[in-house]
């Protein structure tokens, strides 16, 4: 069974093709700057016993349909072709950011499902429309394939009401569905399952820490999410690349009132001008690390604040879980930034966490245990693989 996984953004398409049940991708790729004359595509194919073959091109791509047709061309032509025709694709798995309360697992896409995704545009205006466009294009390009939606919010639908409700008038929940939804669920679900298998404990009490440009954490017990740091939108919780994370709502009222900001200006400030960018002048941790090495006090504060917020959530989630078996670092920063991990784990012996700094400084592929000998709770690095998780859920759905 051939499963094509698509992650459609507003100007990008990320994809992987799996020949299921082989969990190694046959190929992967990324299209960027769709809608321009200078769009780029990076396409890789993977053959057993051979190094990856990579192709990079710049070309005009006016829209997502043109982009996906280019993907089909790469999949089916040349020496590295992985299929002979689009009809060989059996399933197309789509990452959809927001599923609201309607979707708790992977779902076969029909007109009713598409209508619900459209209804949720207002809750994820930057993501769901692009995800929806990807579905519509894939239905035209692969008409014989079954289309499956995998929702970023679905994993967090196991949150108890006391965790997902806000202390607002009840009607704002019952009528407007204002509540904590959580995001990055596919990543949290994947790394939690990998960690539980590594520990040999399906009931493990885990804190998953997804650190990329967007950052979130989850408290997971027995494979179920009990709490998560993002909320009604991806803005809440940790300090992120350009997002502020948690902030006193009165700050927003002050910006909108005495300081004269418009709603659009506040939205742009909190989502695109804050976080590490606002603190240190860059949202790339590599740049901030270089500035720190050069003695920048802004970079030092940014690193400390970033780690401090993570530590706060570890304390809260250890209480939610009534104990802790492991914390898990994942995504670009979590997997690669040793200083972040070191600052987060500093003076955490109360929770049984102790980092082996020698292991922490070494870069190695795959799952890594960075715990010091004798530590009660483990410190793990688990590379995330959202595309594989989506493929797994697609395969499970159709049996």
């Amino acid at each position: 069974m051939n499963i094509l996984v698509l992650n459609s953004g507003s100007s990008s398409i990320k994809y992987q093709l799996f020949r299921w049940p082989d969990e190694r991708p046959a190929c992967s790729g990324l299209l960027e700057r769709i809608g321009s004359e200078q769009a780029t595509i990076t396409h890789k194919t993977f053959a057993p016993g051979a190094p990856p073959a990579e192709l990079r091109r710049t070309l005009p791509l006016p829209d997502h349909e043109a982009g996906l047709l280019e993907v089909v061309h790469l999949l089916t032509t040349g020496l590295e072709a992985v299929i002979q025709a689009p009809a060989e694709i059996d399933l197309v798995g789509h990452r959809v950011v927001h599923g609201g309360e309607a979707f708790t697992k992977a779902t076969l896409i029909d007109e009713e499902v598409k209508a619900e995704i459209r209804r949720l545009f207002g809750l994820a205006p930057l993501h769901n429309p692009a995800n929806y466009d990807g579905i519509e294009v894939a239905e035209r390009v692969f008409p014989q394939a079954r289309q499956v939606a995998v929702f970023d919010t679905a994993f967090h639908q196991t949150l108890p009401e006391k965790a997902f409700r806000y202390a607002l008038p009840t009607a704002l929940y019952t009528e407007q569905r204002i509540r904590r939804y959580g995001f990055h669920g596919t990543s949290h679900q994947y790394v939690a399952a990998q960690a539980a298998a590594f520990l040999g404990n399906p009931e493990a009490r885990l804190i998953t820490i997804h650190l990329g440009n967007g950052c979130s954490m989850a408290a997971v017990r027995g494979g179920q999410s009990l709490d998560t740091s993002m909320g009604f939108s991806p803005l809440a919780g940790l300090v992120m690349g350009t997002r502020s994370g948690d902030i006193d709502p009165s700050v927003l009222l002050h910006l909108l009132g005495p300081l004269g900001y418009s709603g659009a200006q506040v939205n742009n400030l909190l989502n695109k001008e804050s976080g590490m960018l606002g603190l240190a002048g860059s949202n790339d941790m590599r740049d901030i690390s270089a500035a720190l090495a050069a003695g920048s006090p802004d970079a030092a504060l940014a690193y400390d604040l970033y780690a401090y917020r993570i530590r706060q959530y570890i304390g809260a989630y250890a209480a939610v879980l009534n104990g802790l078996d492991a914390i898990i670092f994942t995504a670009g920063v979590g997997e690669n930034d040793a200083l972040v991990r070191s600052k987060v784990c500093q003076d955490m012996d109360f929770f049984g966490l102790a980092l082996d700094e020698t292991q922490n400084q070494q870069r190695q592929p795959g799952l890594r245990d960075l715990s010091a000998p004798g530590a009660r709770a483990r410190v793990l690095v688990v590379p995330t693989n959202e595309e594989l998780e989506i493929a797994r859920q697609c395969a499970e759905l159709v049996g």
Side-chain angles (χ1 to χ4, degrees), residues 367-388:
L367 189 154
R368 291 179 284 155
D369 187 346
L370 306 183
S371 312
R376 297 194 312 275
R378 319 301 292 179
V379 179
L380 305 179
V381 172
V382 181
T384 192
N385 193 331
E386 293 171 279
E387 288 77 22
L388 175 56

Side-chain angles (χ1 to χ4, degrees), residues 113-135:
V113 170
K114 288 165 63 176
E116 183 65 17
I117 294 171
R118 289 196 304 270
R119 191 185 70 79
L120 293 165
F121 278 6
L123 295 184
L126 298 179
H127 298 96
N128 268 36
N131 303 154
Y132 182 86
D133 288 344
I135 292 169

Side-chain angles (χ1 to χ4, degrees), residues 42 75 79 92 154 225 239 254 260 272 308 315 334 336 346 365 386 390:
T42 303
L75 295 177
L79 295 176
V92 181
S225 178
V239 175
H254 188 67
K272 297 182 179 180
Y308 181 73
N336 296 301
Q346 184 179 354
E386 293 171 279
I390 291 171

Side-chain angles (χ1 to χ4, degrees), residues 21 41 87 142 151 177 223 246 259 268 270 285 295 302 307 309 315 380 383:
I41 183 167
F142 305 104
F151 298 90
R177 316 317 290 179
D246 290 341
L259 298 188
N268 190 68
L270 297 181
M285 294 295 281
R309 188 71 60 82
L380 305 179

Side-chain angles (χ1 to χ4, degrees), residues 21-183:
D22 189 348
E23 294 192 343
R24 297 168 299 180
C27 71
S28 68
L30 174 64
L31 283 72
E32 297 179 284
R33 301 179 67 185
I34 294 173
S36 80
E37 292 293 312
Q38 296 292 312
T40 61
I41 183 167
T42 303
H43 178 79
K44 297 180 181 180
T45 55
F46 309 95
E54 181 174 312
L55 175 149
R56 294 176 182 267
R57 290 177 57 199
T58 299
L59 70 169
L61 290 176
D63 52 34
H64 281 66
E65 185 155 7
L68 199 52
L69 288 172
E70 183 63 27
V71 172
V72 170
H73 176 74
L74 292 169
L75 295 177
T76 57
T77 59
L79 295 176
E80 285 79 33
V82 293
I83 57 174
Q84 293 183 342
E88 293 182 27
I89 300 296
D90 301 292
L91 290 173
V92 181
H94 298 268
R95 176 186 180 234
V96 181
V97 166
H98 214 308
E101 294 183 312
F103 302 105
T104 61
K105 58 184 179 181
T107 304
L108 281 170
I109 296 172
D110 56 19
E111 291 305 314
E112 184 177 344
V113 170
K114 288 165 63 176
E116 183 65 17
I117 294 171
R118 289 196 304 270
R119 191 185 70 79
L120 293 165
F121 278 6
L123 295 184
L126 298 179
H127 298 96
N128 268 36
N131 303 154
Y132 182 86
D133 288 344
I135 292 169
E136 293 256 282
V137 169
E139 286 178 332
R140 294 193 292 271
V141 175
F142 305 104
Q144 78 298 329
R146 287 177 286 184
Q147 310 284 330
V148 178
V150 177
F151 298 90
D152 263 8
T153 52
F155 180 59
H156 301 303
Q157 286 299 298
T158 54
L159 265 62
E161 190 168 9
K162 63 186 178 184
F164 74 68
R165 282 286 297 274
Y166 293 118
L168 294 170
T170 299
L172 287 174
Y173 170 62
T174 57
E175 297 173 16
Q176 303 299 325
R177 316 317 290 179
I178 295 177
R179 53 158 287 179
R180 181 181 302 277
Y181 289 101
F183 300 89

Side-chain angles (χ1 to χ4, degrees), residues 208-246:
T208 52
I209 309 170
H210 178 108
L211 303 177
N213 194 48
C215 304
S216 65
M217 292 172 61
V220 181
R221 184 174 63 212
Q224 292 196 325
S225 178
L226 301 184
D227 207 343
T228 190
S229 59
M230 286 180 169
F232 179 71
S233 79
L235 182 58
L238 304 178
V239 175
M240 307 180 216
T242 63
R243 297 181 188 132
S244 66
D246 290 341

Side-chain angles (χ1 to χ4, degrees), residues 207 217-219 227-229 312-323:
I207 297 175
M217 292 172 61
D227 207 343
T228 190
S229 59
Q312 285 183 305
Y313 271 93
I314 289 174
Y317 287 171
V320 168
L321 295 167
N322 190 27

